[in-house]
Amino acid sequence: MQEQNYGNHKRLHPLFHFIGFPLALITWIASIVYFIMTISWVSFFAVIAATSLIITFFLTRLYATKLQDRIIRNEENFRHYMLTGDTLDPRLTASQVVALRFAGDAEFPALCKKAAKENLQPADIKKAIKQWRADEHRV
């Protein structure tokens, strides 16, 4: 397995990103075209069903990532406590903590302080990491 770093840490799930969502989007567009061409109750309900499918796809992804972010915040707060004896700075946003999870233990506390003090963007935090800590279990 290739070592994870800033350039390759993003994860795409082929079944979700390249098959499921495009099929749902095509179905939604086709249902709208069908509704315009043959205005009827059946075509109207086809649009409603396809819209429900799109909403389900978005909410499924949103709920999974929100839950993952909450878990990461708890894990990183505990890791910070184990390394420093103190909890994370409350000024750190969820997206900053999610980015900080990639920092190795040696640089994690200092990078947390820097991120809170300078209000670093998540991309800047990831670029500042020297010792990358892979996260292979993300959604």
Side-chain angles (χ1 to χ4, degrees), residues 91 93 96 113-121 124-125:
R91 295 177 293 174
T93 65
Q96 286 174 313
K113 285 181 185 177
K114 182 178 179 180
K117 182 181 176 186
E118 299 176 18
N119 195 24
L120 294 177
Q121 294 298 311
D124 296 329
I125 293 170

Side-chain angles (χ1 to χ4, degrees), residues 21 23-26 28 49-59:
F21 185 72
L23 285 176
L25 188 60
I26 290 168
W28 183 66
T51 302
S52 297
L53 182 63
I54 293 289
I55 291 170
T56 301
F57 258 87
F58 277 115
L59 289 180

Side-chain angles (χ1 to χ4, degrees), residues 101-112:
R101 81 184 189 273
F102 294 111
D105 287 349
E107 62 185 324
F108 180 67
L111 195 52
C112 287

Side-chain angles (χ1 to χ4, degrees), residues 2 17 20 24 29 33 35 41-42 47 58 74 83 87 92 96 113 117 131:
Q2 183 182 13
H17 290 100
I29 292 168
V33 170
F35 176 72
W41 285 106
V42 173
V47 171
F58 277 115
N74 283 328
L83 293 171
T87 58
L92 290 170
Q96 286 174 313
K113 285 181 185 177
K117 182 181 176 186
Q131 178 196 0

